[in-house]
Amino acid sequence: TESVNSEKINELILDILNGKFKNIYSILLVKNGKVILEEYFYGYNRDSIFDLQSAVKSVVSILVGIAIDHKMISSLDQKVYDFYPEFKKTNWVEQKNEITIKHALTMTAGLEWDSYTSDVSRNDGIKLWQSDNRLRYVMEKKLVEPPGSKFNYSSGLSVLLGGIIKE
């Protein structure tokens, strides 16, 4: 067995159940490659599906690094449109936007994108997930800033990078 401080674990679980930590639905503790605790709260279980949003962005950036290490992506300066020749009639490919993988990773692609509006009809994050073709939705967005000049949070860029990694 792995030595753990069971008092601290019990304290953590009680704090979660007593509402000290909000929005915690599960805990998985691993030590030396062994699962020492797997616990779910508020009716959730290991089959529950969660919207991971920003956590996905971290994983995607790791996968891009691995793809570069394995020479599947030449560099962070590679143009995104190079990976999507099938999207010939979109703004990105037709205009050969200078958006690079680095711009997508740093969310400085310069795209028109609003994830913060409460107006559901204009919220690009919501419209992205409702879209039949998420890649096309992102690639049809207008370039409104020079790539690399301004940060703008966009889940669409993670979808785009995920498509590159998938291929």
Side-chain angles (χ1 to χ4, degrees):
T1 65
E2 301 301 314
S3 63
V4 294
N5 186 334
S6 58
E7 283 184 30
K8 287 288 186 187
I9 292 173
N10 288 336
E11 182 181 329
L12 173 64
I13 290 172
L14 286 174
D15 284 346
I16 292 168
L17 291 173
N18 290 327
K20 182 175 180 181
F21 303 113
K22 305 287 185 210
N23 301 317
I24 303 289
Y25 304 106
S26 64
I27 296 176
L28 180 66
L29 296 177
V30 178
K31 185 173 183 183
N32 298 327
K34 296 178 184 173
V35 174
I36 57 173
L37 175 71
E38 183 174 352
E39 189 63 53
Y40 300 90
F41 307 97
Y42 314 115
Y44 289 92
N45 61 55
R46 72 172 40 196
D47 296 321
S48 298
I49 296 173
F50 294 92
D51 186 0
L52 298 178
Q53 294 285 344
S54 293
V56 168
K57 292 162 182 62
S58 298
V59 173
V60 165
S61 68
I62 292 167
L63 294 173
V64 166
I66 292 168
I68 289 171
D69 280 350
H70 286 87
K71 310 283 188 248
M72 300 164 102
I73 295 174
S74 63
S75 79
L76 292 177
D77 296 322
Q78 192 168 356
K79 303 290 188 276
V80 171
Y81 68 78
D82 288 340
F83 294 94
Y84 291 108
E86 70 273 23
F87 286 94
K88 288 182 181 93
K89 297 285 186 200
T90 64
N91 288 338
W92 279 35
V93 176
E94 196 165 282
Q95 298 169 10
K96 297 205 180 326
N97 286 346
E98 294 298 306
I99 299 168
T100 64
I101 292 190
K102 181 178 180 180
H103 295 136
L105 283 169
T106 60
M107 297 199 183
T108 59
L111 295 181
E112 177 181 63
W113 194 274
D114 188 353
S115 294
Y116 299 110
T117 181
S118 58
D119 180 350
V120 174
S121 69
R122 292 183 322 128
N123 186 305
D124 284 303
I126 293 170
K127 289 167 63 175
L128 172 71
W129 299 116
Q130 292 173 342
S131 173
D132 291 339
N133 188 326
R134 294 178 183 146
L135 280 171
R136 181 168 294 284
Y137 182 82
V138 176
M139 295 186 92
E140 289 178 344
K141 298 305 288 182
K142 291 178 185 168
L143 192 65
V144 294
E145 301 281 343
S149 66
K150 186 176 178 185
F151 174 85
N152 186 18
Y153 184 88
S154 169
S155 294
L157 296 172
S158 295
V159 169
L160 190 80
L161 290 166
I164 291 171
I165 291 165
K166 179 181 175 191
E167 294 305 315

